Amino acid sequence: MDQFELSPGLDMEHGFIRHIQQHQYSRKQLDEEAALNKEQTARLTRGVTMQSKQTASVYQPPGRRGPESSAATGQRSDAGGQRLNTGGQRSDTGDMSLSQEEVDIERYVAEARPYILEALQSLGNVSNTCLKSVAEVIVNRAWEDIGYYRTAAAMCQIIAQKEYEQQVHDVIPTHTFRRSVMETCADIFKNHTELREHGINYWIEFIRFLSEIYSQIRSGTRGLRGIYDILFGALDVLTKPPCIAAFDEVELLCSVLRDVGHSLEVDSLDQMNNLIASLRDAFLEPQTEEWARGMLLEILELRASGWKLSPSVAEYYYGGSES
């Protein structure tokens, strides 16, 4: 009778069991992260999810603040000029830190405050969903709160820089904050007619914010330069009725082009050529007021001279040389 050979048993050298264990551990980590994100999202979106700009507040204006708020008495944060520990390095755009008075965190809804502060200071534990909401509330306050656009742009710069540094070695970086800033700006611009009808000052503040964030991000931070597409679109709107008949909007158009016209042309010559063509059309339009023609002519000459006026032209417009 033939003798049966003993089975050699399972060959464990291939590491298949170890692979299964590693997969189970990774799945556990993903589940824990998903649970954390779900908890953060539930807490934040209760206060800041934007169903519509007419029914949800991005921050708390003075008239809606309770008596317990220090802002209701016209005072800002008790911290005064104390600086937030943003951890940023000084760049070409200046000091990346902001004072608590500048941020004025109390005027954001309560649910948003911890995530805004976390994003400004470390960014580490803010989920992508919450970071998206942080971008939305900052951008929307930039146009709703008159005069806040510079602070909002600086906040965007700080958070965008931290996001870049955190993801610089990632194989597929998400750039959630930067993408959310641009998407929010694009959505607002898409409804610019309604925004202007809602309040011309809101429309003006929105363009100021676009110009400010473009200027700051272009100089010191990667990832948001696509904002100039929206800025070009907004400036083109200013060259057409009814904006071209309003002094404040024509003045804004000229001011933005004096400040960042050269940079915009470097970034997109084709779009600048189209914008200058719109300015020229507005200048030649019979319905354009004389005062508007004079302001547009200055910009046309400024661009023709390479964004630096000759001494004689500067003397004509400003009574002195243009630096």
Side-chain angles (χ1 to χ4, degrees), residues 221-243:
T221 308
R222 297 173 176 87
L224 271 177
R225 291 185 62 179
I227 206 78
Y228 65 68
D229 290 330
I230 307 170
L231 179 55
F232 267 119
L235 295 177
D236 190 69
V237 171
L238 293 178
T239 68
K240 297 174 173 58
C243 301

mmCIF file of all heavy atoms in Angstrom, residues 221-243:
data_model
loop_
_atom_site.group_PDB
_atom_site.id
_atom_site.type_symbol
_atom_site.label_atom_id
_atom_site.label_comp_id
_atom_site.label_asym_id
_atom_site.label_seq_id
_atom_site.Cartn_x
_atom_site.Cartn_y
_atom_site.Cartn_z
ATOM 1 N N THR A 221 1.923 83.954 -1.917
ATOM 2 C CA THR A 221 1.345 82.647 -1.636
ATOM 3 C C THR A 221 0.930 81.954 -2.912
ATOM 4 O O THR A 221 0.362 82.571 -3.792
ATOM 5 C CB THR A 221 0.108 82.800 -0.720
ATOM 6 O OG1 THR A 221 0.467 83.581 0.403
ATOM 7 C CG2 THR A 221 -0.400 81.451 -0.254
ATOM 8 N N ARG A 222 1.212 80.645 -2.972
ATOM 9 C CA ARG A 222 0.819 79.879 -4.157
ATOM 10 C C ARG A 222 -0.639 79.448 -4.056
ATOM 11 O O ARG A 222 -1.186 79.321 -2.987
ATOM 12 C CB ARG A 222 1.702 78.639 -4.281
ATOM 13 C CG ARG A 222 3.189 78.952 -4.481
ATOM 14 C CD ARG A 222 3.987 77.650 -4.418
ATOM 15 N NE ARG A 222 5.395 77.873 -4.701
ATOM 16 C CZ ARG A 222 6.286 78.217 -3.790
ATOM 17 N NH1 ARG A 222 5.900 78.418 -2.540
ATOM 18 N NH2 ARG A 222 7.547 78.391 -4.114
ATOM 19 N N GLY A 223 -1.257 79.202 -5.209
ATOM 20 C CA GLY A 223 -2.491 78.467 -5.223
ATOM 21 C C GLY A 223 -3.767 79.221 -5.514
ATOM 22 O O GLY A 223 -4.778 78.606 -5.762
ATOM 23 N N LEU A 224 -3.733 80.565 -5.494
ATOM 24 C CA LEU A 224 -4.976 81.300 -5.720
ATOM 25 C C LEU A 224 -4.881 82.251 -6.902
ATOM 26 O O LEU A 224 -5.724 83.120 -7.050
ATOM 27 C CB LEU A 224 -5.356 82.097 -4.462
ATOM 28 C CG LEU A 224 -6.214 81.378 -3.432
ATOM 29 C CD1 LEU A 224 -6.448 82.269 -2.233
ATOM 30 C CD2 LEU A 224 -7.548 80.971 -4.022
ATOM 31 N N ARG A 225 -3.889 82.100 -7.729
ATOM 32 C CA ARG A 225 -3.706 83.064 -8.801
ATOM 33 C C ARG A 225 -4.835 83.005 -9.819
ATOM 34 O O ARG A 225 -5.055 83.953 -10.552
ATOM 35 C CB ARG A 225 -2.353 82.845 -9.472
ATOM 36 C CG ARG A 225 -1.179 83.227 -8.565
ATOM 37 C CD ARG A 225 0.154 83.123 -9.264
ATOM 38 N NE ARG A 225 0.236 84.025 -10.392
ATOM 39 C CZ ARG A 225 1.330 84.131 -11.146
ATOM 40 N NH1 ARG A 225 2.389 83.395 -10.882
ATOM 41 N NH2 ARG A 225 1.342 84.962 -12.160
ATOM 42 N N GLY A 226 -5.578 81.917 -9.858
ATOM 43 C CA GLY A 226 -6.724 81.832 -10.747
ATOM 44 C C GLY A 226 -7.798 82.845 -10.426
ATOM 45 O O GLY A 226 -8.734 83.027 -11.204
ATOM 46 N N ILE A 227 -7.669 83.530 -9.289
ATOM 47 C CA ILE A 227 -8.651 84.542 -8.903
ATOM 48 C C ILE A 227 -8.680 85.682 -9.910
ATOM 49 O O ILE A 227 -9.670 86.409 -10.010
ATOM 50 C CB ILE A 227 -8.334 85.072 -7.484
ATOM 51 C CG1 ILE A 227 -9.598 85.611 -6.797
ATOM 52 C CG2 ILE A 227 -7.270 86.146 -7.488
ATOM 53 C CD1 ILE A 227 -10.490 84.549 -6.254
ATOM 54 N N TYR A 228 -7.614 85.846 -10.682
ATOM 55 C CA TYR A 228 -7.602 86.977 -11.625
ATOM 56 C C TYR A 228 -8.631 86.808 -12.737
ATOM 57 O O TYR A 228 -9.066 87.795 -13.338
ATOM 58 C CB TYR A 228 -6.210 87.245 -12.199
ATOM 59 C CG TYR A 228 -5.596 86.171 -13.073
ATOM 60 C CD1 TYR A 228 -6.109 85.866 -14.325
ATOM 61 C CD2 TYR A 228 -4.446 85.502 -12.660
ATOM 62 C CE1 TYR A 228 -5.529 84.909 -15.130
ATOM 63 C CE2 TYR A 228 -3.853 84.544 -13.455
ATOM 64 C CZ TYR A 228 -4.391 84.245 -14.690
ATOM 65 O OH TYR A 228 -3.805 83.290 -15.485
ATOM 66 N N ASP A 229 -9.040 85.572 -13.018
ATOM 67 C CA ASP A 229 -10.102 85.383 -14.019
ATOM 68 C C ASP A 229 -11.387 86.071 -13.570
ATOM 69 O O ASP A 229 -12.073 86.728 -14.365
ATOM 70 C CB ASP A 229 -10.358 83.896 -14.245
ATOM 71 C CG ASP A 229 -9.216 83.209 -14.970
ATOM 72 O OD1 ASP A 229 -8.543 83.882 -15.772
ATOM 73 O OD2 ASP A 229 -8.997 82.008 -14.732
ATOM 74 N N ILE A 230 -11.714 85.911 -12.290
ATOM 75 C CA ILE A 230 -12.922 86.536 -11.750
ATOM 76 C C ILE A 230 -12.742 88.045 -11.692
ATOM 77 O O ILE A 230 -13.669 88.807 -12.001
ATOM 78 C CB ILE A 230 -13.236 85.967 -10.355
ATOM 79 C CG1 ILE A 230 -13.278 84.440 -10.402
ATOM 80 C CG2 ILE A 230 -14.561 86.531 -9.827
ATOM 81 C CD1 ILE A 230 -13.353 83.778 -9.042
ATOM 82 N N LEU A 231 -11.550 88.496 -11.310
ATOM 83 C CA LEU A 231 -11.291 89.940 -11.232
ATOM 84 C C LEU A 231 -11.413 90.581 -12.606
ATOM 85 O O LEU A 231 -12.022 91.657 -12.745
ATOM 86 C CB LEU A 231 -9.898 90.186 -10.643
ATOM 87 C CG LEU A 231 -9.466 91.650 -10.509
ATOM 88 C CD1 LEU A 231 -10.466 92.474 -9.703
ATOM 89 C CD2 LEU A 231 -8.062 91.738 -9.873
ATOM 90 N N PHE A 232 -10.873 89.946 -13.636
ATOM 91 C CA PHE A 232 -11.022 90.477 -14.996
ATOM 92 C C PHE A 232 -12.500 90.590 -15.364
ATOM 93 O O PHE A 232 -12.933 91.590 -15.960
ATOM 94 C CB PHE A 232 -10.308 89.578 -16.003
ATOM 95 C CG PHE A 232 -8.894 89.977 -16.309
ATOM 96 C CD1 PHE A 232 -7.840 89.121 -16.039
ATOM 97 C CD2 PHE A 232 -8.615 91.211 -16.880
ATOM 98 C CE1 PHE A 232 -6.526 89.477 -16.327
ATOM 99 C CE2 PHE A 232 -7.302 91.589 -17.172
ATOM 100 C CZ PHE A 232 -6.256 90.715 -16.890
ATOM 101 N N GLY A 233 -13.283 89.581 -15.045
ATOM 102 C CA GLY A 233 -14.702 89.617 -15.360
ATOM 103 C C GLY A 233 -15.417 90.756 -14.661
ATOM 104 O O GLY A 233 -16.251 91.451 -15.258
ATOM 105 N N ALA A 234 -15.072 90.976 -13.378
ATOM 106 C CA ALA A 234 -15.712 92.055 -12.629
ATOM 107 C C ALA A 234 -15.324 93.420 -13.186
ATOM 108 O O ALA A 234 -16.165 94.327 -13.298
ATOM 109 C CB ALA A 234 -15.315 91.960 -11.150
ATOM 110 N N LEU A 235 -14.060 93.595 -13.558
ATOM 111 C CA LEU A 235 -13.619 94.871 -14.122
ATOM 112 C C LEU A 235 -14.301 95.136 -15.465
ATOM 113 O O LEU A 235 -14.632 96.285 -15.785
ATOM 114 C CB LEU A 235 -12.099 94.882 -14.277
ATOM 115 C CG LEU A 235 -11.283 94.820 -12.980
ATOM 116 C CD1 LEU A 235 -9.790 94.770 -13.277
ATOM 117 C CD2 LEU A 235 -11.606 96.008 -12.082
ATOM 118 N N ASP A 236 -14.515 94.081 -16.240
ATOM 119 C CA ASP A 236 -15.192 94.264 -17.522
ATOM 120 C C ASP A 236 -16.630 94.729 -17.310
ATOM 121 O O ASP A 236 -17.136 95.563 -18.079
ATOM 122 C CB ASP A 236 -15.169 92.956 -18.314
ATOM 123 C CG ASP A 236 -15.644 93.146 -19.741
ATOM 124 O OD1 ASP A 236 -14.926 93.797 -20.525
ATOM 125 O OD2 ASP A 236 -16.740 92.662 -20.072
ATOM 126 N N VAL A 237 -17.278 94.214 -16.284
ATOM 127 C CA VAL A 237 -18.644 94.658 -15.973
ATOM 128 C C VAL A 237 -18.656 96.148 -15.661
ATOM 129 O O VAL A 237 -19.590 96.875 -16.037
ATOM 130 C CB VAL A 237 -19.218 93.848 -14.789
ATOM 131 C CG1 VAL A 237 -20.532 94.448 -14.308
ATOM 132 C CG2 VAL A 237 -19.424 92.398 -15.191
ATOM 133 N N LEU A 238 -17.613 96.642 -15.003
ATOM 134 C CA LEU A 238 -17.544 98.058 -14.639
ATOM 135 C C LEU A 238 -17.433 98.975 -15.850
ATOM 136 O O LEU A 238 -17.719 100.175 -15.746
ATOM 137 C CB LEU A 238 -16.359 98.309 -13.699
ATOM 138 C CG LEU A 238 -16.437 97.688 -12.306
ATOM 139 C CD1 LEU A 238 -15.166 97.987 -11.514
ATOM 140 C CD2 LEU A 238 -17.661 98.184 -11.545
ATOM 141 N N THR A 239 -17.035 98.441 -16.997
ATOM 142 C CA THR A 239 -16.897 99.277 -18.196
ATOM 143 C C THR A 239 -18.210 99.441 -18.950
ATOM 144 O O THR A 239 -18.253 100.149 -19.954
ATOM 145 C CB THR A 239 -15.856 98.678 -19.164
ATOM 146 O OG1 THR A 239 -16.363 97.438 -19.702
ATOM 147 C CG2 THR A 239 -14.524 98.429 -18.463
ATOM 148 N N LYS A 240 -19.261 98.807 -18.469
ATOM 149 C CA LYS A 240 -20.537 98.796 -19.189
ATOM 150 C C LYS A 240 -21.654 99.381 -18.328
ATOM 151 O O LYS A 240 -21.535 99.442 -17.098
ATOM 152 C CB LYS A 240 -20.874 97.367 -19.615
ATOM 153 C CG LYS A 240 -19.853 96.777 -20.590
ATOM 154 C CD LYS A 240 -20.133 95.323 -20.873
ATOM 155 C CE LYS A 240 -19.212 94.791 -21.973
ATOM 156 N NZ LYS A 240 -17.776 94.930 -21.638
ATOM 157 N N PRO A 241 -22.740 99.834 -18.988
ATOM 158 C CA PRO A 241 -23.888 100.325 -18.216
ATOM 159 C C PRO A 241 -24.463 99.192 -17.354
ATOM 160 O O PRO A 241 -24.420 98.032 -17.751
ATOM 161 C CB PRO A 241 -24.885 100.760 -19.295
ATOM 162 C CG PRO A 241 -24.059 100.950 -20.531
ATOM 163 C CD PRO A 241 -22.950 99.939 -20.436
ATOM 164 N N PRO A 242 -24.982 99.522 -16.172
ATOM 165 C CA PRO A 242 -25.117 100.868 -15.607
ATOM 166 C C PRO A 242 -23.887 101.345 -14.841
ATOM 167 O O PRO A 242 -23.840 102.487 -14.398
ATOM 168 C CB PRO A 242 -26.310 100.701 -14.662
ATOM 169 C CG PRO A 242 -26.180 99.296 -14.176
ATOM 170 C CD PRO A 242 -25.674 98.502 -15.338
ATOM 171 N N CYS A 243 -22.879 100.483 -14.692
ATOM 172 C CA CYS A 243 -21.730 100.827 -13.851
ATOM 173 C C CYS A 243 -20.963 102.033 -14.380
ATOM 174 O O CYS A 243 -20.484 102.865 -13.600
ATOM 175 C CB CYS A 243 -20.796 99.624 -13.727
ATOM 176 S SG CYS A 243 -21.551 98.152 -13.009
#
